[in-house]
Amino acid sequence: MFFYYCDLAWRSIRKTPMLSMLMVLAISIGIGITITTLNVYKTMSYNPAGDRSEVINSVQLWSQGLDTWDEFIANITYTDAMNLRNNDELSLKAATYRTGLALQSDNPKIEPVLQSVRVTDSDFFRIFSVPFLYGSYWDANVDLRPAYQVVISQKLNLRFFDGKNSVGKTVFLDRKPYQIVGIIDDWNPQPKYYDPLNGAFNDAEEIFIPFSLTGQEEFDVWGNTSGWKFETMITYNDRLASEKVWIQFWTELNSEDERQSLQGWLTRYVEQQRAIGRFTDTAKTPSESVQISDIDKWLEDNDVVPKDNKILVGLSLLFLSVCLVNILGLLLTKFLKRAPEVGVRRAIGASRGQIFSQYMVEVGMIGFIGGVVGLLWAWGSLTALHSYFSMDQSVTGLDASMWIITPLIAISTAVLAGVYPAWVVCRTKPSVYLKAQ
Amino acid sequence: MLHIKPILSSLMRSKSAPILLLLQIILSVAIVANASFIINERLSLMQRESGYAEDQILTFSVYNFDPAVDNIKQNQVDQQILRSLPNVIDASSSNMLPLSDSGWMDRYVDGPNPDTAKSTPGFAFYLGNEHLLNVMGAKLIAGRNFTADEINTNLDDSGMMAIVSQPLAKAFWGEESPLGKTMYQGEQTVTIIGVVDKLQGAWVDNENFEYSVIQNIDFGGNSSNKSYMVRALPEHIPALEEAIRKALHAENPNRVFDNFQTLTELRNLTYSNHRLMATVLSIMVVLLLLITALGLTGMVMFNIQRRTKQIGTRRALGARKRDIIQYFMVENYLICIVGGVIGGMLALVLGQQLMSLYSLPMVPVIYPIASVIGLLVVTTLAVIVPAAKAANISPAMATRSV
């Protein structure tokens, strides 16, 4: 019966090609726009931490003075980062920021390049489950006693060492030799959740060096440095001693107890710092001057999904509803025009249910074609976004879930639009139309 | 004479189609009004004058990775080389690039005591030498530029001077001239010596975007990572990149050059989100109008077929073609105006939501009104064609089967 209805539906669609095309056009454009904005939204709001989202936490401190910032800032000062690094109660902890250094190898054929570099502690790799191809991260001792060791990406390893195991070999960063201790396998979380402040959809750094080198190597900071009071920063030591915030701090909390205990430690820490004249904004209590953010909160606080995108999703859903109303109207006029035909079919024995299902099959078919065309629209517009507006590939690639979401939206939109007209038409009284014949 | 009453009663008899049309108009007005408001907002953001000779400025960065190099000396040598290149009008180092979405922000206070002093609004903080103003192409409207012997190399040197942008001067000093005023940055004093007409900062969405200051520090010597701006005529810029690389590389090979971009390119990149939003919303509005128009045409066409007999009868009884067309037009306008009024109110509600959720400005009433007018035009076009066709129905044909 279903295939017979499909056949009938196809004939009916072909009988009114203009109207059917209009309906398919309306539904496909509505779906095309909705899927495009939904796709960008979905990929942007993706949480790469997965089920570790609550385990990975960053720490923010209300270190500012009175009447300065009115919300928690993602970064903390060097002083606070160093004190947190010394907190032995934390099992895994890593301070981190971004810098840039010129990379060279022994291979004279390869010109030096300026590379974005992540400065961090060994625990960083464990907190963020960074996969290693060869070797591993540097020893925990290096976090206390600086050594010139480096972890590089497989991509750099391919370029400089033909992809062979290069652990133990040397690369030069700003002409200083660093010993390779590990090579990372493919790892590029999008959004770049461990540092969304420098562009949430940038690629992950390909070079990682110990945070403990900061004091002696005086790395530039490639990222935001904010201050709430005037402090001259002439020397690098001025920066380290200042109240400027520029470092992110990450830790792993495996239970509510661990969270409570960190909260307690931080509260005591704030009290201690207040006693020595820091954290001068006392409008907040010490325990309120502390914020521990898991990844969900962190992504939300750092506006990883721009508000523009949320507005677009809302407007495109409204747009889809206009298309739905449009199709509803068209279907209604079309079905009503066929009421005499229905009258005859009813008179010779078709049940209401059969008439209803026949029309729903027709509507579903229109929805399906609209969905397929809509997916093409979406694919085209995502490609256009990538090439004309240089949006990142990771955001404009069609998300796998769209293969399920699109037909779902398409068919449910069509069915929603079709139920009322089909219901109206199957209620046709055979007698009215037979008489008119 | 408009026969509104019979049209109304005929509409009331078969309610579902007009209700759907009404719904569509309401939603369309709500969407079009808000979308076009946002589009207009973004376009006016993008059309602001920056105050720079944008298409004449080439920006790039140099990273000296040889630790032995004297950054201050190297910076001076590099600038000499840049200025002596053929076709270069002027060149300067800077701590930040205009319209780049990244840079320094700072404030001055007007007295030595931080507890009592009044603070200026935050401003983009450019550090550069006597060439920077010329490279930017900014127009000095009061006071003077720095001279070569006034240029400092460090933030804690004495004899700090500043050139401020006119909007900043207006915001802080009002009608009074800022020239000769002494401002403070911690212990440091700064004398205002000039005012430029316009000088935008780095963050295009910042409310202080028009507030900027240039201070007399040649910043290129402070760090191994330096930004430069070179000014040349647009036709000379494409060849310049290679020339600069070559000349600077010949002087000292231990460095990396990066990010060659004209200020126009930089500006386009920084505004790309706004351009994207405006484009996507414009496409949405056009498609929405198109779909509404097509849907309406389809519906009217079918209505006419259904009413062929009725139209024929009316024609036979003496209705002119005009009357038939008028009938459909009045029907359409009735629905449009009712839908427009409700839609306009919905647009304002939606605008209110957007305002409270995303702190957008409130939609002015003119946008819903304009959207309704736009829809009236579009629906007129959509209805007039099938209506004219209906008017051509010959009474004989239409009534034959009766």
Side-chain angles (χ1 to χ4, degrees):
Chain A
M1 218 45 181
F2 176 72
F3 292 103
Y4 173 60
Y5 288 155
C6 283
D7 183 45
L8 277 183
W10 182 237
R11 281 195 219 177
S12 160
I13 288 171
R14 280 191 23 202
K15 220 157 78 188
T16 51
M18 276 302 289
L19 200 66
S20 308
M21 239 167 68
L22 257 176
M23 286 192 268
V24 168
L25 191 72
I27 207 169
S28 69
I29 289 177
I31 283 167
I33 286 182
T34 310
I35 295 298
T36 306
T37 55
L38 263 185
N39 189 69
V40 174
Y41 181 84
K42 265 209 68 145
T43 42
M44 278 187 167
S45 59
Y46 176 68
N47 183 340
D51 45 3
R52 281 177 58 77
S53 177
E54 281 173 31
V55 177
I56 308 175
N57 285 274
S58 77
V59 173
Q60 284 88 50
L61 293 166
W62 197 263
S63 62
Q64 56 259 50
L66 205 59
D67 299 327
T68 51
W69 299 323
D70 44 17
E71 53 191 30
F72 277 100
I73 288 243
N75 294 340
I76 61 173
T77 64
Y78 182 77
T79 312
D80 294 330
M82 291 305 277
N83 290 333
L84 271 160
R85 285 172 85 233
N86 291 335
N87 175 3
D88 291 328
E89 289 174 30
L90 291 171
S91 53
L92 294 180
K93 51 193 183 285
T96 174
Y97 64 96
R98 182 175 167 238
T99 186
L101 297 167
L103 173 70
Q104 279 173 300
S105 74
D106 294 325
N107 188 341
K109 274 184 287 183
I110 302 171
E111 276 198 27
V113 276
L114 185 58
Q115 284 273 348
S116 177
V117 173
R118 180 134 305 264
V119 186
T120 191
D121 291 310
S122 59
D123 285 351
F124 179 90
F125 303 93
R126 283 205 274 168
I127 294 173
F128 291 99
S129 318
V130 182
F132 277 84
L133 188 64
Y134 302 114
S136 186
Y137 39 85
W138 52 84
D139 192 84
N141 280 328
V142 173
D143 295 331
L144 304 172
R145 281 175 295 276
Y148 290 86
Q149 300 192 342
V150 62
V151 168
I152 64 169
S153 72
Q154 167 65 355
K155 219 164 98 191
L156 285 186
N157 190 47
L158 266 175
R159 198 158 91 219
F160 288 95
F161 303 101
D162 301 323
K164 293 191 201 100
N165 185 350
S166 57
V167 170
K169 298 213 164 115
T170 304
V171 288
F172 297 87
L173 293 169
D174 277 19
R175 312 200 103 188
K176 290 225 166 106
Y178 283 73
Q179 190 190 26
I180 299 174
V181 293
I183 290 126
I184 295 176
D185 209 352
D186 284 334
W187 187 69
N188 187 20
Q190 299 283 325
K192 185 178 168 184
Y193 65 126
Y194 61 86
D195 184 11
L197 297 101
N198 286 311
F201 295 91
N202 286 351
D203 286 335
E205 289 84 6
E206 300 191 31
I207 300 172
F208 297 80
I209 54 177
F211 185 87
S212 50
L213 287 170
T214 301
Q216 66 192 57
E217 281 304 306
E218 311 198 340
F219 301 120
D220 282 350
V221 176
W222 280 22
N224 187 277
T225 300
S226 301
W228 48 271
K229 62 174 179 181
F230 184 80
E231 293 167 288
T232 36
M233 284 206 305
I234 307 298
T235 65
Y236 204 79
N237 268 330
D238 292 343
R239 169 179 277 274
L240 300 185
S242 74
E243 288 298 326
K244 302 254 190 275
V245 296
W246 48 286
I247 295 169
Q248 292 113 55
F249 187 84
W250 291 101
T251 181
E252 187 174 295
L253 300 173
N254 287 302
S255 65
E256 190 51 38
D257 283 354
E258 286 187 26
R259 178 179 289 266
Q260 287 304 331
S261 122
L262 175 59
Q263 173 74 36
W265 189 92
L266 285 167
T267 307
R268 289 192 302 280
Y269 175 73
V270 172
E271 282 163 357
Q272 213 180 68
Q273 295 297 310
R274 278 188 187 175
I276 58 169
R278 294 183 67 220
F279 292 68
T280 46
D281 182 4
T282 47
K284 278 187 192 292
T285 67
S287 78
E288 283 169 353
S289 305
V290 170
Q291 180 173 282
I292 305 171
S293 316
D294 63 14
I295 297 296
D296 264 332
K297 180 171 167 46
W298 171 256
L299 292 176
E300 183 64 36
D301 286 354
N302 285 297
D303 293 324
V304 169
V305 183
K307 65 181 183 186
D308 275 7
N309 198 254
K310 296 181 184 167
I311 295 172
L312 278 180
V313 170
L315 285 180
S316 60
L317 285 174
L318 271 180
F319 187 103
L320 186 65
S321 67
V322 173
C323 295
L324 189 132
V325 174
N326 199 313
I327 300 158
L328 220 165
L330 290 173
L331 283 171
L332 197 64
T333 38
K334 178 175 178 181
F335 286 0
L336 280 179
K337 214 190 137 231
R338 288 214 318 243
E341 177 193 320
V342 174
V344 176
R345 291 197 54 209
R346 288 276 284 124
I348 55 178
S351 75
R352 277 188 188 172
Q354 284 171 329
I355 304 281
F356 186 80
S357 15
Q358 182 204 325
Y359 281 92
M360 287 320 288
V361 168
E362 181 172 343
V363 168
M365 193 180 266
I366 289 170
F368 180 75
I369 301 172
V372 172
V373 181
L375 206 55
L376 288 178
W377 285 122
W379 177 77
S381 52
L382 286 172
T383 312
L385 285 182
H386 178 59
S387 45
Y388 295 110
F389 289 93
S390 46
M391 268 173 98
D392 300 273
Q393 185 78 58
S394 59
V395 176
T396 54
L398 203 59
D399 195 72
S401 61
M402 292 303 149
W403 293 106
I404 301 163
I405 292 178
T406 315
L408 261 178
I409 293 182
I411 295 182
S412 55
T413 309
V415 165
L416 212 61
V419 166
Y420 178 68
W423 182 69
V424 167
V425 78
C426 77
R427 276 179 56 225
T428 306
K429 290 194 182 71
S431 53
V432 179
Y433 290 99
L434 286 181
K435 216 168 61 194
Q437 295 284 316
Chain B
M1 176 70 204
L2 301 172
H3 304 280
I4 292 182
K5 235 187 123 199
I7 293 175
L8 265 182
S9 58
S10 118
L11 280 177
M12 295 311 274
R13 228 177 308 126
S14 58
K15 285 193 212 70
S16 47
I19 284 178
L20 288 176
L21 198 52
L22 200 65
L23 208 58
Q24 187 168 352
I25 303 272
I26 291 171
L27 287 172
S28 300
V29 170
I31 299 175
V32 172
N34 279 285
S36 44
F37 174 59
I38 298 176
I39 294 169
N40 193 28
E41 281 271 287
R42 302 300 164 98
L43 291 182
S44 50
L45 274 186
M46 294 191 310
Q47 273 154 10
R48 289 174 300 182
E49 285 280 323
S50 68
Y52 299 90
E54 287 172 30
D55 58 346
Q56 298 187 9
I57 300 174
L58 179 66
T59 67
F60 62 96
S61 63
V62 178
Y63 185 71
N64 292 314
F65 57 80
D66 187 345
V69 83
D70 176 350
N71 278 316
I72 293 180
K73 231 157 106 191
Q74 183 72 64
N75 172 47
Q76 270 150 12
V77 173
D78 287 347
Q79 292 192 63
Q80 284 303 331
I81 294 174
L82 290 173
R83 279 180 215 123
S84 65
L85 284 175
N87 297 325
V88 166
I89 297 170
D90 209 343
S92 173
S93 76
S94 177
N95 62 325
M96 61 180 270
L97 297 176
L99 314 171
S100 63
D101 211 25
S102 136
W104 292 29
M105 186 159 247
D106 218 319
R107 321 168 162 259
Y108 291 147
V109 292
D110 64 357
N113 182 349
D115 293 331
T116 55
K118 199 173 146 238
S119 162
T120 64
F123 50 71
F125 195 40
Y126 293 102
L127 306 181
N129 56 31
E130 75 277 14
H131 293 274
L132 188 59
L133 205 60
N134 185 32
V135 173
M136 287 172 162
K139 206 170 89 206
L140 203 61
I141 52 170
R144 62 176 183 89
N145 191 4
F146 314 123
T147 58
D149 57 342
E150 289 168 343
I151 302 303
N152 294 318
T153 48
N154 252 322
L155 275 159
D156 61 350
D157 288 345
S158 60
M160 285 300 171
M161 297 176 174
I163 299 171
V164 301
S165 73
Q166 167 83 344
L168 175 64
K170 268 230 169 75
F172 191 69
W173 291 281
E175 290 311 307
E176 213 182 323
S177 166
L179 293 183
K181 298 255 194 253
T182 303
M183 302 301 284
Y184 292 80
Q185 254 187 333
E187 305 283 296
Q188 188 71 261
T189 61
V190 184
T191 312
I192 313 285
I193 61 157
V195 180
V196 284
D197 181 31
K198 217 165 192 5
L199 201 71
Q200 290 184 334
W203 302 273
V204 299
D205 295 322
N206 195 293
E207 53 179 358
N208 297 355
F209 187 40
E210 306 286 342
Y211 301 160
S212 336
V213 164
I214 310 174
Q215 201 163 304
N216 55 337
I217 302 174
D218 199 343
F219 187 73
N222 279 254
S223 153
S224 43
N225 200 2
K226 311 157 199 284
S227 295
Y228 289 97
M229 287 194 255
V230 175
R231 187 168 172 193
L233 291 178
E235 62 265 33
H236 296 137
I237 283 187
L240 219 48
E241 181 179 337
E242 205 38 55
I244 290 172
R245 277 179 191 276
K246 235 165 133 181
L248 293 187
H249 210 264
E251 206 282 326
N252 172 2
N254 289 327
R255 38 196 178 175
V256 183
F257 306 94
D258 211 355
N259 304 323
F260 279 89
Q261 266 170 328
T262 64
L263 201 51
T264 312
E265 286 166 343
L266 202 56
R267 176 200 175 99
N268 285 341
L269 206 65
T270 311
Y271 276 108
S272 67
N273 281 341
H274 293 313
R275 210 170 45 253
L276 176 68
M277 190 74 168
T279 314
V280 172
L281 288 177
S282 306
I283 294 174
M284 230 190 237
V285 167
V286 170
L287 288 176
L288 192 67
L289 293 177
L290 190 77
I291 285 181
T292 304
L294 288 178
L296 196 59
T297 314
M299 240 143 87
V300 174
M301 251 151 66
F302 270 78
N303 269 332
I304 287 166
Q305 283 180 16
R306 219 156 52 110
R307 291 194 219 157
T308 307
K309 277 182 201 170
Q310 184 201 335
I311 294 166
T313 314
R314 284 193 62 202
R315 291 275 284 125
L317 291 176
R320 287 161 299 171
K321 288 188 179 181
R322 279 192 27 204
D323 296 326
I324 306 292
I325 297 180
Q326 204 177 46
Y327 179 92
F328 285 105
M329 297 310 289
V330 172
E331 188 182 77
N332 170 56
Y333 288 142
L334 275 179
I335 296 176
C336 262
I337 287 166
V338 175
V341 171
I342 306 176
M345 290 190 290
L346 182 66
L348 293 178
V349 173
L350 187 65
Q352 196 115 47
Q353 289 298 316
L354 289 177
M355 182 176 73
S356 59
L357 278 178
Y358 304 112
S359 51
L360 293 182
M362 186 60 201
V363 178
V365 185
I366 184 73
Y367 283 88
I369 296 175
S371 308
V372 174
I373 295 174
L375 267 169
L376 281 177
V377 174
V378 171
T379 56
T380 304
L381 293 174
V383 170
I384 209 154
V385 180
K389 231 167 117 189
N392 281 329
I393 292 172
S394 99
M397 285 296 284
T399 49
R400 184 178 292 166
S401 60
V402 173

